[in-house]
Amino acid sequence: VVPLMTSDDLAPYVERLMSGERGLLTIEPPLYYTRTSGSGGKHKHIPITNSYKKDFQKTVHTALGHLYLKFPKAFTGRALYFVGTRRYEVAGDLLDIGSMSGYNFTELPALLRSIYAWPYELFEVADITTRSYLALYIGMVSDTSLVAGIFPAPLVYLLRELEARAPELAIDLRDGTLRFAGTLTEQQRAFFSRYATPRPDIAKRLSAAIGRPPHELTRAAFPMLNLVYCWKTASAELYIPELARRVGPDVPIRDAIYAASEAWCSIPLGDDVQGGALAIESAFYEFIPEAAFEAGSRTPLTVGELEHGERYFIVVTTTSGLYRYLLGDVVEVCGRYRATPMIRFVRRRGGVVNLVGENVDEDHVVVSIRGAAARLGIEPTWFAWAPVTTETPPRYRMWLETSDALGPEKLRAMAEAVEREVDQVAMDYGRVRRAKLLAPLELVSVSAGTYERARRMRLADGSAEAQLKVNVLYPSVAAVEAFLNV
């Protein structure tokens, strides 16, 4: 029996491949090495073969087919698609190392790439402020009807930038100019200057919408927008309320393919539900029940043995040389499409904290904060949750950033509301709180823009914006403070 493989088991083989050895994981040579985002820990490198490329493209094409059937108007204009950098560096065998989205985008035939409004050169602009301005300008002059990405945060930040910079954009659109910050090379300035064209019609719409509700500004900027396609589960849920407010009730937001660099695992059907059918033609799958895995079992189940409502660790075998690879994700079965299980991503491995028997996971935290915020009319822009083990009894601390500052009473009400919500979803939390084994939740207000500064620091370090995910559950207070650079 082939043993389970982890990322640590894979790493030595990939290092040898990068040095030029062949025939280690597959007979087929690699074409490329994708570097994972590192959101769940350290960066990993995954080899991409031609067979694997064809396999995951089956998932992409099928998912887009379902989407087209449900939203044909979303395909009448051009698409905005967030991608990462194709080349961070070059391996010893002279193959590129970079982001999967950047590789996929640059490998598209020229005709297919013309469907996308943003050129790849946009994602080579290092300064995020300049890049955002260019992205808005190009998107507005390109008859955008669809916006797609992995994580919703980049789109939310782009629409915040639209609200902040609409007056400047209106002037440039009116005059056919395009202002640049001082961070572009001469070659980049020459490239992007070709997009500068007088569009008084757009400028007039945009100017009229300034100061009006955000969704009216978005509609003025992108009147053909008919669909947003991005993740909606786990920590991505944090951004969905603001995203919905900014695009308005007439623009559907649909869940995107659940994928990692290692495997593309689901086919969303375009419905207003979370998750999608298991992508059974892109990989071979096995599943280990979550409770059994945590108890030490590694006995897998096959697709036909999965049960609705149960959670599993997912194991994949792919044509890129990953054999019984423990992806590190927990998924939940949420029905079936005909005979095929529907799955949704829940959390990464390790996304559980347990101080005195309460067993709180990331999904519990996200659902609870979303519910409490909705009840109190609060819009979180970022939050984090970590255990405080230096006190007796221990407690949890939550950092909360909101678009509007919260007074002491609102903070207290939010802390109490979150605890009530956690009690409903993490059944042992209330028990240990009532037994006074766990002290009350401590809520810390974080000033607006705190997460944005931390995000920009990560982008400056080379993380791909298109793949940058938001962590919610941290192992310690020190980990949160290190992230925020406190």
Side-chain angles (χ1 to χ4, degrees), residues 437-458:
L437 297 174
L438 201 63
L441 173 68
E442 178 186 6
L443 183 56
V444 177
S445 180
V446 176
S447 60
T450 298
Y451 175 72
E452 170 66 357
R453 288 190 293 274
R455 183 180 79 99
R456 288 181 178 240
M457 288 177 64
R458 289 195 66 185

Side-chain angles (χ1 to χ4, degrees), residues 269 273-278 303 306-310 312 332-344:
L269 306 179
V273 297
Q274 294 182 339
L278 187 67
V303 171
L306 303 185
E307 297 183 16
H308 173 70
E310 295 298 316
Y312 304 89
E332 182 177 296
V333 176
C334 46
R336 287 182 178 269
Y337 176 71
R338 298 178 182 172
T340 304
M342 301 274 288
I343 62 169
R344 74 175 185 93

Side-chain angles (χ1 to χ4, degrees), residues 329-448:
D329 291 349
V330 175
V331 299
E332 182 177 296
V333 176
C334 46
R336 287 182 178 269
Y337 176 71
R338 298 178 182 172
T340 304
M342 301 274 288
I343 62 169
R344 74 175 185 93
F345 172 77
V346 175
R347 65 175 177 86
R348 290 285 299 162
R349 182 183 180 186
V352 176
V353 283
N354 183 24
L355 299 176
V356 289
E358 70 282 6
N359 284 310
V360 174
D361 68 33
E362 185 172 282
D363 196 46
H364 295 149
V365 174
V366 173
V367 168
S368 300
I369 294 174
R370 278 280 312 277
R375 289 176 185 274
L376 295 173
I378 294 171
E379 186 175 83
T381 50
W382 175 76
F383 56 80
W385 177 286
V388 179
T389 57
T390 55
E391 301 177 8
T392 304
R395 71 168 78 232
Y396 287 102
R397 181 178 299 165
M398 186 178 111
W399 292 256
L400 178 66
E401 178 185 302
T402 55
S403 45
D404 298 315
L406 303 180
E409 286 189 21
K410 200 82 173 219
L411 283 172
R412 185 164 51 252
M414 181 65 176
E416 293 171 354
V418 169
E419 286 211 291
R420 286 194 297 271
E421 295 282 342
V422 176
D423 189 18
Q424 294 298 311
V425 291
M427 303 307 292
D428 288 321
Y429 184 87
R431 175 182 61 81
V432 297
R433 279 282 289 113
R434 287 185 287 274
K436 298 184 178 180
L437 297 174
L438 201 63
L441 173 68
E442 178 186 6
L443 183 56
V444 177
S445 180
V446 176
S447 60

Side-chain angles (χ1 to χ4, degrees), residues 125 127 130 179-186 188-189:
V125 175
D127 180 69
T130 304
R179 67 191 67 204
F180 299 116
T183 56
L184 296 178
T185 65
E186 287 303 315
Q188 287 175 323
R189 286 172 180 268

